Amino acid sequence: MNISSIICSFTAIRDQLIPVIRDEFSITERIATEIFDNRLNPHFRRLKPTVYFLIEYPYVDRVYRDSYYSYFSSKQGNYGRDCVRLSLFDGEILPEQLRGDVDMSDIGQRYLGFMVLRPTIPYIVGRNVLSPRALQQDKFLSVGSIFQATVSCIKFQITGFPHSSQDSETISCAETSVWAIMEYFSSKYVEYKPALPSVIINALRSRSNFRQIPSEGLNIEQMGYALREFGFGTKIYSKDMYGDPVFKNLLSTYIASGLPLIVAISNRHLSGRIGHAVLAVGQSITTDDQIDNLSLIPETEPMALLKASNIQLLDNDNIERDFVFVDDNHPVYQLAPLKDPVKHYQSRDWTGCQVTHFIVPLYPKIYLDAYVAKKYIKTLLFENRFSIPGKTELFLRIYLTSSRSYKEYLAKDTSHNSDFRNLILEKPMPKFIWVGEISTKTLIKQKKANGLIIIDATEPNLMNFKPLIVSGYIDIFYYPDSKSRELIKNQLPLGEFFIFKNNLKGF
Amino acid sequence: MAIKMSKTEEILARLQSEGRQQTMDSHEDSIIRERMNHEMELVMRESQYKEYESQISASQFVLTK
C-alpha cells in the first residue's frame, strides 16, 4: 500500500474527494456523496475559491489513532485505522514545486493549513488547523498558535486555532474543547503537553462515577478539573452568579487578553435539552460606530468611590461586538454575538440558547482574576488622585498580558514620552500583568491612549497599593515606594501613545 | 567602553530637583488609602462568594452535545 496524492482546485474537490472517501473508508458512493454534501461542503463553501487542495491517503493521524486503539478497535464493526489528509494552499500548486532543489518560500507562504478526515462515519472531520486567511470572511481577530505540518514530505508551518468535529463516542463537545485548548497551549508554550482523547479520559477517571466511554459528556467542573490536571489555574464564571452585564464584560476582558475560553451554552432554562461546550477565541474588529454607540453601564456592585467621583467610565468590554467561536458541530471560526451564540444553528432545538458559564485556562501563578483586577483598576481611577474633573468621559480598556510582551511593545513603540517609557521598562514586573489603558472616544478611534495603570497579576493582597506597579494620566505619574508602599507622585507629561495590540494582533 | 543604559535614577533625580516629585504620606492620603482598602475588602469578599457559587453551579451542569 503506497501513499497517494492528488492536487485539485476548489471546483474539482467534490469529484476528486468522493471516490477517495468511498474507497478509503469502505462506504458506498451514495454515503460518500452524502457525507461530502452534508459534512464537508459546509467547511469548503466558506473557503476562498482560489484555494487548491492536496489530498493524501492513507494518513496516520495521532488523535484518531489514539481513539482507534483505545476504543474503536474494541468494537465488532469494521473501523479503519487510517485517515485522509487535505492540505490547503492559496492559489495553484504543481507537483514540481514540492520536489527537488527549488525555492519553497512562496508555496510556504501560501500554505493555509490542513484538515484530517477520519473513518468515523458520518462524523468524518477530524483534527484541522486552518488559517483565517483561508476564509472568504477573514476580517476578525483570533488567537492562534504555530503548528508544524508535513505536506507531501515537505515541512510547513501554519498559524491557526485547532478544531475537530466530535466523533460522539470517544469525544463529545466537552472532550473536544479540552483537547483543542491543550493542542493550542502545547503548541505555544513548552510548559504544556497535548492531551489525546485517552489521556483526557484517564485524567478524569477518579472524578467519574459512571463509565466514561462511549462519552456522555462532562460536567463543567470535570472540565475544570482536567485543565487543572494539565497545568492550568482554572477559573470558572457563572452567569447566574455575576449577572448578565458583568458576566459578558468579564468574558470580553479575557478574550481581549488573548486567552481562549471554554464557553458553556444551554437552553435548559427554557426547558430545552441543549448543554454544549464551544471555545471563544477572538472577536470582531472594533469599529468607530461601536465606540460611538458605547453607552455608560452602571457598575452593579457597591462602589462608594464610584458614586463620589462622578467620572463617567466607558468600558471597552461593554461594546456589543461579535466573538469568534470554535464549535465542533460547525466549521471553525464562527462569528456570533454573546446574546445569540448559536446564530449559526438552523435547528429549533437550539432556540433560546445562552452562554451560562465560561472556563478560563489561566497560568497557575495568575492569582488576580479579571473581576478583582478590573474593580481594582477602576477604584484607583475613581479614587481620583489624577484630579480628573467631574463628568469627564473616559474610555477604559483592561487586559491581561505577559510583562515580556508588554515591555517589548513599549521598547519598540516611539509614541510614548521617553522618560515615561524608561521608567516603566525598568520597573521589575511579574510574568503577568493587568493593564488599564485610559483613553477617550476620540483618542481610541486613533488607537491611542493618554493614561495607564499597570498592576501585578500575581498579587491577590489588595491592601496598601500592593498590586500597583505604576499609574499615570496626562501629566501625573504614580508608583508605590518599594519599602513604605506610599505613593510617589511625579509631574511628568505622558502625551498620547499607541495602545497595545499584541494580544489579538489588533483592536 | 561602557554605556549605562538604565535611566530611572537619572529621571527621578531630575524630577526631584525640579520639585516635581512628592511622597503621598499626608493624613488625607492615609484616609484615601484606608478608604480604598475598605473598598477592596468588599470586592474580595464578593469575589470569593461568586467564585464559590460558580463552582457549585458548574458541578451540576453537564455538557453533552
Side-chain angles (χ1 to χ4, degrees), chain A residues 199-403:
Chain A
V199 174
I200 297 171
I201 290 165
N202 281 334
L204 289 169
R205 195 176 295 275
S206 64
R207 302 284 286 200
S208 304
N209 295 325
F210 305 102
R211 71 177 188 186
Q212 292 176 281
I213 48 174
S215 174
E216 288 166 9
L218 302 174
N219 68 44
I220 301 172
E221 187 190 37
Q222 286 175 309
M223 296 170 77
Y225 178 83
L227 289 176
R228 211 201 64 190
E229 284 291 290
F230 298 146
F232 292 98
T234 320
K235 275 283 293 184
I236 173 84
Y237 294 84
S238 154
K239 187 168 87 171
D240 286 348
M241 287 308 114
Y242 286 85
D244 190 60
V246 175
F247 178 77
K248 287 178 176 167
N249 181 288
L250 294 174
L251 189 149
S252 171
T253 305
Y254 282 117
I255 293 294
S257 303
L259 282 167
L261 310 176
I262 295 179
V263 174
I265 291 172
S266 174
N267 58 5
R268 289 184 189 138
H269 60 290
L270 299 173
S271 304
R273 296 283 178 88
I274 301 296
H276 183 46
V278 297
L279 296 161
V281 301
Q283 64 179 51
S284 55
I285 295 166
T286 308
T287 65
D288 287 355
D289 282 349
Q290 286 174 325
I291 293 167
D292 284 333
N293 293 333
L294 180 59
S295 54
L296 294 166
I297 294 182
E299 295 285 327
T300 50
E301 311 305 329
M303 288 184 79
L305 289 169
L306 164 67
K307 292 177 186 106
S309 70
N310 211 12
I311 297 168
Q312 315 236 315
L313 205 56
L314 298 163
D315 188 333
N316 170 57
D317 295 313
N318 289 337
I319 287 180
E320 293 275 347
R321 46 168 66 94
D322 283 349
F323 288 88
V324 181
F325 292 101
V326 174
D327 184 336
D328 62 0
N329 292 327
H330 282 274
V332 69
Y333 309 125
Q334 298 285 341
L335 265 85
L338 282 184
K339 63 184 174 193
D340 186 14
V342 293
K343 79 170 198 183
H344 39 283
Y345 283 81
Q346 307 297 323
S347 166
R348 293 174 64 87
D349 292 348
W350 294 78
T351 304
C353 276
Q354 296 285 309
V355 176
T356 60
H357 299 77
F358 66 89
I359 299 174
V360 193
L362 285 172
Y363 181 74
K365 292 184 178 61
I366 295 174
Y367 303 130
L368 205 56
D369 84 317
Y371 179 78
V372 177
K374 292 193 84 165
K375 290 284 181 195
Y376 189 84
I377 288 172
K378 287 178 182 180
T379 307
L380 275 172
L381 259 180
F382 297 142
E383 187 198 51
N384 207 3
R385 285 176 183 268
F386 296 119
S387 305
I388 303 168
K391 296 196 175 171
T392 301
E393 195 178 80
L394 299 177
F395 182 96
L396 185 62
R397 179 172 172 256
I398 298 175
Y399 53 84
L400 178 73
T401 189
S402 70
S403 58

